[in-house]
Amino acid sequence: SNTASPAMGHRRRSLMSPRTRRAMLVALLCLAAVLPDARAIDGQSNKPSDEEAERVWNDPNCERTRGEEIGIDWDVVRSEFLEVPFPQTIGLIGGIVDRLQQPALLNREAILCPFGIIAVYFFFVKFLIERQDPNIALAKVYMSLLDGFASGIHPSLLDRADWLVKDSRIVSLRRAVLKRLRPPAEEPPRYPRIFVYSREAPEIQLLT
């Protein structure tokens, strides 16, 4: 389905319009100042809360959000990802991305379903760089957000969760974004090569 589930709230506006892109970019710049510090689930940096750790280990697929009305029903989102091939899910993805521009909702959902947020940002960035008219500037912003969440979770936990997004796929996507950010290497100028011999070479004698 290309439209968001009723559990997602309002339907998203046109993702392609420049006005929407600018609004998203401005909102993201504002979010940068209020986003919480990434909490490493591997326990090596900021220690996660007991609720965050418990959910990551015991509910990585976020099935406990089933039937959620205030926030996001991540169980429905994951089912869509598993049943509907990308990029046909971009309508659903875009609607969630729009909603996650609200700092309070983003903070809440980061506790309830960090893997879901990682998956949504992953496929959104993938769409931005692979569509017919790539938006690399916006992809760079969302790749930073994706890295901010993914870097706080051990790769083995990402691989264990059933969200289609493994650590290796995030690494590949990061490389793809970086590749598109680099300007194409200019081919060095070619000049005619002139050889000067002090005496006639045997090879030239054979040609004359």
Side-chain angles (χ1 to χ4, degrees), residues 122-187:
F122 173 87
F123 286 113
F124 189 60
V125 172
K126 184 175 173 64
F127 170 75
L128 289 173
I129 67 173
E130 293 182 355
R131 70 188 202 181
Q132 190 172 3
D133 55 334
N135 190 330
I136 305 304
L138 196 56
K140 178 183 176 182
V141 174
Y142 276 100
M143 190 70 223
S144 296
L145 281 174
L146 170 58
D147 277 335
F149 283 99
S151 64
I153 296 180
H154 195 278
S156 64
L157 295 176
L158 277 170
D159 294 345
R160 174 172 167 261
D162 190 16
W163 281 92
L164 302 177
V165 179
K166 308 303 181 185
D167 181 67
S168 59
R169 295 193 71 185
I170 295 177
V171 171
S172 297
L173 182 66
R174 186 182 304 115
R175 288 174 179 166
V177 173
L178 290 174
K179 183 178 179 181
R180 286 163 172 79
L181 286 171
R182 296 192 190 103
E186 292 186 5
E187 193 172 330

Side-chain angles (χ1 to χ4, degrees), residues 28-171:
L28 280 170
L29 293 174
C30 295
L31 279 177
V34 296
L35 278 176
D37 294 333
R39 297 179 172 87
I41 302 301
D42 57 14
Q44 294 179 1
S45 57
N46 297 329
K47 187 176 180 181
S49 68
D50 291 341
E51 181 182 3
E52 287 174 299
E54 194 276 333
R55 282 181 176 272
V56 165
W57 285 100
N58 299 323
D59 188 30
N61 295 332
C62 311
E63 296 175 356
R64 296 178 192 173
T65 65
R66 184 179 301 146
E68 176 67 45
E69 296 180 356
I70 298 176
I72 297 172
D73 187 333
W74 290 104
D75 187 55
V76 169
V77 175
R78 191 175 68 89
S79 296
E80 286 284 312
F81 284 177
L82 295 176
E83 296 171 7
V84 182
F86 176 83
Q88 295 179 32
T89 49
I90 192 58
L92 174 63
I93 293 166
I96 298 173
V97 168
D98 280 349
R99 294 190 64 188
L100 291 179
Q101 291 184 62
Q102 305 172 43
L105 181 64
L106 180 58
N107 290 339
R108 178 182 186 273
E109 300 305 322
I111 295 174
L112 299 179
C113 192
F115 297 109
I117 291 178
I118 289 171
V120 164
Y121 285 158
F122 173 87
F123 286 113
F124 189 60
V125 172
K126 184 175 173 64
F127 170 75
L128 289 173
I129 67 173
E130 293 182 355
R131 70 188 202 181
Q132 190 172 3
D133 55 334
N135 190 330
I136 305 304
L138 196 56
K140 178 183 176 182
V141 174
Y142 276 100
M143 190 70 223
S144 296
L145 281 174
L146 170 58
D147 277 335
F149 283 99
S151 64
I153 296 180
H154 195 278
S156 64
L157 295 176
L158 277 170
D159 294 345
R160 174 172 167 261
D162 190 16
W163 281 92
L164 302 177
V165 179
K166 308 303 181 185
D167 181 67
S168 59
R169 295 193 71 185
I170 295 177
V171 171

Side-chain angles (χ1 to χ4, degrees), residues 181-196:
L181 286 171
R182 296 192 190 103
E186 292 186 5
E187 193 172 330
R190 295 183 179 181
Y191 302 101
R193 303 175 70 182
I194 302 175
F195 299 91
V196 178

